[in-house]
Amino acid sequence: MNDPLSALIERAARPGFDAWRRGIVSLGGCTHPVHLVGGGSVVDADTGEVLHAYSSDDVGGRLLTACGNRRASVCPACSRVYRADVFHLIRAGLVGGKGVDDEVGEHPRVFATLTAPGFGPVHSRRERNGRLLACRPRPAGERCPHGMPLGCHVRHAEDDARLGEPLCPRCYDYAGAVLWQAYAGALWHRFTLELRRELARRVGLSRIAFGEAARLSYAKVAEYQRRGLVHFHAVIRLDGPDGPSSPPPGWATSGLLMEAVRASAGLVRLGALGAGVVGPRVLRFGAQLDVRPVAGFGAGERLTSAAVAGYLAKYATKGAETAGAVDRRLRHAAELAELPVRDHTLRMIGVCWWLGGLPEFAPLGLRRWAHMLGYRGHFTTKSRRYSTTLGALRAARAEHRAKEQRARLGLGDRTTVTVGQWRYAGRGYEPDAALIAATLRDGGDGHGAR
């Protein structure tokens, strides 16, 4: 039966429809659920008695579970869960909660944005005092060696397709841009080391003595700019030596932290592989650096802890698709010819593929990360003692669901363990199941034909 609604009505007449529907509703509108085949049992830990048994046969032959993908472009439903987890993780490190002492809200903390350097002029949207300015004002006769204008007097709209595109693709350093992406995670790591050194130097301590007096913690997310390069947004905090539970030393202030962040970002340097192929590359962060105390952001505005957490969580669910790339890995060179991307993005992907095929760049795995424009780092990372973990938040959610299940089964205070055996059996929806999932995403209750 090809019509999804007719198929749903037909299924509603079969036995087990309610259990089948509940399984889909429990996914919350997940776009690409994973199919599992097998079974499990809830067993009394003391007596070995099987208290409850279940299998995929109880729900139409396959048990569906949410895909858990963080990217909004892949699964909006699961990305909302991930976004909420990141929000609570970031916020806990600013005001406490989720196992973090409330006193952490008194510790020095700043909100910093570190960007990539320029690899050639690109079309950009510029504003000043609320007024839209020309993209790149230059004398009309100035041209690059390839005859392209060096300026652009257009006041670009926010949806202008030219934003992020190089003024001259032949002048743009695509190899340098791709290598910067590949080393971006290592640059951030080098920055955190440099920041500790800079803080120790400014207060007259050795690195060992600094570690005995204070601890640096952070949480960051990566965001793609229109030009296809990532930049990092981060909350950076100074604690006492035992982390958020201990007060920082008297010399630790937000002003000191801001100055040290600015100085450290300018000191980071990293040499890239492949100098014999594309020339020497000394990688660094861009000159555009924004560092502000969490207590204040912008003229007359206050950046609250919730606002910082919400800002970072928003970007945690985005990927290279925001820069016009694709959200799937490329397997063959022939796929490049069919990619629905703009020219600038295709050039970056092409350079990733070219460099990735050379032995000098093998350690970077550039072909594997070509769809990410060379970036191979995590989108959300944190230092060990910043706050709680995503794993702890997921475990708490699973424990809550387990308690609900125990209540439904009437198990009371009995000590139980769950055992089972499951195997992967595909992903996605049948047309009738997709109809129910779509109603959930659109705000319905998933009752479909009932």
Side-chain angles (χ1 to χ4, degrees), residues 263-427:
S264 301
L267 293 173
V268 174
R269 298 289 186 274
L270 198 61
L273 292 172
V277 179
V278 296
R281 291 291 194 282
V282 178
L283 306 174
R284 57 180 177 81
F285 284 109
Q288 186 179 359
L289 173 68
D290 188 28
V291 189
R292 312 189 190 193
V294 172
F297 188 81
E301 299 179 11
R302 293 188 61 81
L303 184 65
T304 65
S305 299
V308 173
Y311 187 76
L312 296 181
K314 176 179 68 173
Y315 288 112
T317 61
K318 299 181 184 297
E321 66 277 359
T322 60
V326 292
D327 57 12
R328 60 179 177 84
R329 186 171 295 172
L330 305 177
R331 306 292 181 181
H332 307 286
E335 296 180 67
L336 274 67
E338 302 173 354
L339 292 178
V341 298
R342 57 187 177 135
D343 291 345
H344 175 61
T345 302
L346 184 60
R347 291 187 187 99
M348 287 196 70
I349 293 174
V351 171
C352 284
W353 198 266
W354 166 57
L355 294 179
L358 301 177
E360 292 85 351
F361 299 97
L364 302 181
L366 287 171
R367 286 192 172 180
R368 181 183 180 188
W369 302 108
H371 68 298
M372 303 296 288
L373 309 184
Y375 180 64
R376 55 197 182 115
H378 294 288
F379 277 81
T380 305
T381 59
K382 72 175 192 68
S383 57
R384 186 170 63 89
R385 299 294 294 275
Y386 173 79
S387 68
T388 185
T389 65
L390 291 174
L393 293 172
R394 291 164 183 154
R397 188 161 51 247
E399 182 179 354
H400 175 73
R401 290 172 178 167
K403 287 181 178 179
E404 289 182 334
Q405 183 188 45
R406 289 172 59 83
R408 286 197 305 269
L409 297 175
L411 298 180
D413 296 330
R414 300 177 72 168
T415 304
T416 62
V417 294
T418 302
V419 296
Q421 187 172 12
W422 302 90
R423 62 179 177 83
Y424 174 79
R427 62 172 58 236

Side-chain angles (χ1 to χ4, degrees), residues 40-53:
S41 302
V42 179
V43 180
D44 189 302
D46 298 322
T47 66
E49 177 188 359
V50 176
L51 304 176
H52 177 67

Side-chain angles (χ1 to χ4, degrees), residues 20-29 436-437 440 445-447:
W20 174 82
R21 183 184 61 80
R22 281 197 302 271
I24 298 171
V25 171
S26 68
L27 301 177
I436 293 180
L440 292 170
D445 61 5
H447 280 76

Side-chain angles (χ1 to χ4, degrees), residues 109-115 188 190-192 194-199 201-202 216 234 236 238 253-269 284-294 296-298:
R109 59 269 176 90
V110 300
F111 180 68
T113 298
L114 282 71
T115 63
W188 172 265
R190 187 68 62 88
F191 163 74
T192 61
E194 194 63 53
L195 180 55
R196 291 180 177 91
R197 295 190 189 102
E198 182 66 18
L199 285 166
R201 185 188 66 78
R202 286 174 178 261
L216 189 73
I236 304 173
L238 269 176
T253 65
S254 294
L256 170 69
L257 187 54
M258 289 173 61
E259 293 173 0
V261 167
R262 291 193 181 101
S264 301
L267 293 173
V268 174
R269 298 289 186 274
R284 57 180 177 81
F285 284 109
Q288 186 179 359
L289 173 68
D290 188 28
V291 189
R292 312 189 190 193
V294 172
F297 188 81

Side-chain angles (χ1 to χ4, degrees), residues 5 8-9 12 17 447-450:
L5 180 58
L8 181 59
I9 294 172
F17 173 77
H447 280 76
R450 300 288 271 191

